[in-house]
């Protein structure tokens, strides 16, 4: 996809969000063309926007995460109640704001990660992608705007372009990491449709990326301890971000192609060198995996 194509999708998301805002949402009053306040569903029934609470935009990318279609399978669910995960996030962001003189929790986190630079994967003028320190999934990424943006409808025209670039670039980084179309589940969290003024001040637009793969043929599973104790990590967020940055760096490297001018001996030497390098990477990866498993067993 191109940035222009991604931008069209983001524009559609923002428009759908604006259309389904509750009439009581302060944002609804400030939009130039907020759209209808009634939603008609596929079965012919309708619902007043006052009955709608949350718009969950998500993408199941790849059959390994349950997508029934081979292409990225984006969906939008609109619910009459607040889903658990956004509700818990909203409560913590509101609490942080109350206890920190109106400061934003994720805004403070953006500043922290930009200062440390340890877990930053990629950034542009408007958005920051990091492997958060609380990451559970391998190569988990959190994408955040660099300023306080409560929802898609609050993005400026330039920020929508920055957002488009970020979404496209992260997909390229992921796909280049293991040399495969990288599976993941992504989800956008933002202000509720029926947000109050206080909700809008506390909300902070962000995107979760949760990829399940450690290696092309190895998927992370939640076993007994992860399910009933606490999540464990096979790779630290710092190591994950370093590998994702390396994936980005490789994208800008010129590809080496045969010109047909080298001798068979030279070509054979290059092939042998590549094979040795590849074998070294496999051995290094295998050793790394054995060290992890050894630590888990000893613990």
């Amino acid at each position: 996809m191109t940035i222009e194509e991604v931008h069209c999708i983001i524009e559609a998301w923002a428009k759908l969000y604006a259309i389904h805002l509750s009439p009581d949402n302060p944002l609804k009053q400030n939009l130039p063309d907020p759209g209808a306040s009634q939603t008609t569903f596929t079965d012919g029934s309708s619902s007043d926007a006052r009955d709608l609470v949350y718009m969950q935009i998500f993408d199941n990318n790849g059959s390994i995460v349950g997508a029934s279609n081979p292409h990225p399978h984006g969906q939008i669910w609109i619910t009459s109640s607040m889903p658990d995960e956004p509700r818990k996030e909203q409560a913590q962001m509101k609490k942080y704001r109350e206890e920190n003189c109106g400061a934003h929790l994720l805004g403070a986190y953006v500043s922290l990660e930009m200062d440390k630079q340890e877990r930053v994967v990629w950034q542009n003028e408007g958005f920051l992608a990091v492997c958060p320190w609380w990451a559970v999934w391998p190569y988990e990424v959190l994408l955040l705007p660099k300023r306080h943006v409560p929802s898609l409808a609050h993005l400026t025209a330039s920020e929508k372009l920055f957002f488009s670039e970020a979404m496209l670039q992260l997909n390229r980084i992921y796909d280049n990491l293991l040399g495969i179309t990288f599976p993941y589940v992504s989800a956008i969290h933002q202000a509720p449709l029926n947000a109050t003024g206080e909700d809008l001040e506390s909300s902070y637009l962000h995107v979760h990326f949760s990829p399940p793969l450690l290696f092309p043929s190895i998927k992370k599973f939640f076993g007994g301890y992860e399910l009933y104790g606490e999540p464990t990590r096979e790779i630290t967020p710092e190591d994950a971000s370093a590998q994702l940055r390396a994936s980005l760096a490789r994208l800008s490297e010129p590809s080496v192609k045969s010109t047909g001018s080298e001798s068979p001996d030279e070509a054979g030497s290059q092939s042998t060198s590549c094979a040795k390098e590849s074998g070294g990477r496999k051995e290094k990866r295998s050793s790394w995996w054995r060290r992890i498993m050894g630590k888990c067993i000893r613990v």
Side-chain angles (χ1 to χ4, degrees):
M1 297 182 72
T2 64
I3 289 181
E4 290 75 17
E5 290 171 329
V6 177
H7 182 256
C8 287
I9 295 172
I10 290 172
E11 287 281 11
W13 287 343
K15 183 176 181 179
L16 284 170
Y17 177 83
I19 288 173
H20 292 89
L21 287 172
S22 167
D24 300 326
N25 189 322
L27 177 60
K28 186 81 167 182
Q29 314 305 322
N30 299 326
L31 292 175
D33 182 19
S37 60
Q38 182 166 297
T39 299
T40 301
F41 300 102
T42 54
D43 63 358
S45 63
S46 62
S47 174
D48 190 281
R50 287 185 177 85
D51 300 329
L52 306 178
V53 174
Y54 199 76
M55 175 180 285
Q56 182 62 75
I57 303 171
F58 63 95
D59 179 17
N60 298 327
N61 186 12
S63 59
I64 197 171
V65 295
S68 56
N69 296 323
H71 56 77
H73 196 37
Q75 299 182 47
I76 298 176
W77 288 18
I78 301 176
T79 58
S80 58
S81 61
M82 190 76 164
D84 286 345
E85 291 304 314
R87 177 181 54 78
K88 288 187 287 186
E89 288 183 355
Q90 187 77 12
Q92 291 302 316
M93 288 189 286
K94 188 175 295 186
K95 179 182 178 183
Y96 184 91
R97 184 169 176 270
E98 291 171 352
E99 295 176 351
N100 291 272
C101 303
H104 298 284
L105 175 60
L106 290 181
Y109 184 59
V110 166
S111 298
L112 172 70
E113 292 291 6
M114 290 184 67
D115 288 343
K116 286 183 172 292
Q117 291 291 314
E118 294 175 341
R119 293 175 288 265
V120 173
V121 175
W122 181 89
Q123 61 181 307
N124 60 14
E125 187 176 334
F127 281 79
L128 177 75
V130 301
C131 291
W133 60 263
W134 61 85
V136 172
W137 294 99
Y139 309 107
E140 181 176 336
V141 165
L142 185 66
L143 179 63
L144 310 110
K146 289 184 175 179
R147 74 172 182 95
H148 174 225
V149 178
S151 74
L152 290 166
H154 289 82
L155 290 171
T156 65
S158 59
E159 284 172 335
K160 288 177 182 176
L161 288 172
F162 292 140
F163 190 21
S164 303
E165 182 188 19
M167 295 288 280
L168 183 61
Q169 194 74 325
L170 278 174
N171 273 274
R172 294 178 66 226
I173 292 171
Y174 272 146
D175 288 351
N176 194 52
L177 179 66
L178 301 179
I180 61 173
T181 300
F182 209 67
Y184 61 78
V185 175
S186 66
I188 295 176
H189 284 168
Q190 57 186 325
L193 296 170
N194 66 342
T196 63
E198 184 180 359
D199 290 333
L200 290 175
E201 286 299 323
S202 301
S203 299
Y204 202 106
L205 174 71
H206 58 282
V207 189
H208 294 275
F209 288 84
S210 302
L213 288 186
L214 281 166
F215 305 125
S217 59
I218 299 179
K219 176 184 175 182
K220 177 183 176 71
F221 286 94
F222 282 85
Y225 187 80
E226 287 86 359
L227 285 174
Y228 303 110
E230 62 182 5
T232 60
R233 295 171 177 163
E234 292 79 11
I235 180 172
T236 67
E238 291 77 14
D239 286 342
S241 62
Q243 292 186 40
L244 290 170
R245 288 194 301 270
S247 172
L248 173 63
R250 291 195 300 273
L251 284 171
S252 59
E253 292 177 355
S255 58
V256 179
K257 296 183 179 179
S258 172
T259 61
S261 60
E262 68 268 28
S263 67
D265 288 342
E266 289 173 330
S269 175
Q270 290 179 4
S271 299
T272 302
S273 174
C274 290
K276 288 180 179 178
E277 183 181 351
S278 176
R281 285 199 299 267
K282 289 180 180 177
E283 177 60 31
K284 184 177 180 181
R285 178 179 294 173
S286 176
S287 299
W288 173 79
W289 181 249
R290 284 198 297 270
R291 287 198 301 273
I292 291 174
M293 296 307 295
K295 290 179 181 178
C296 292
I297 292 170
R298 286 195 296 273
V299 171

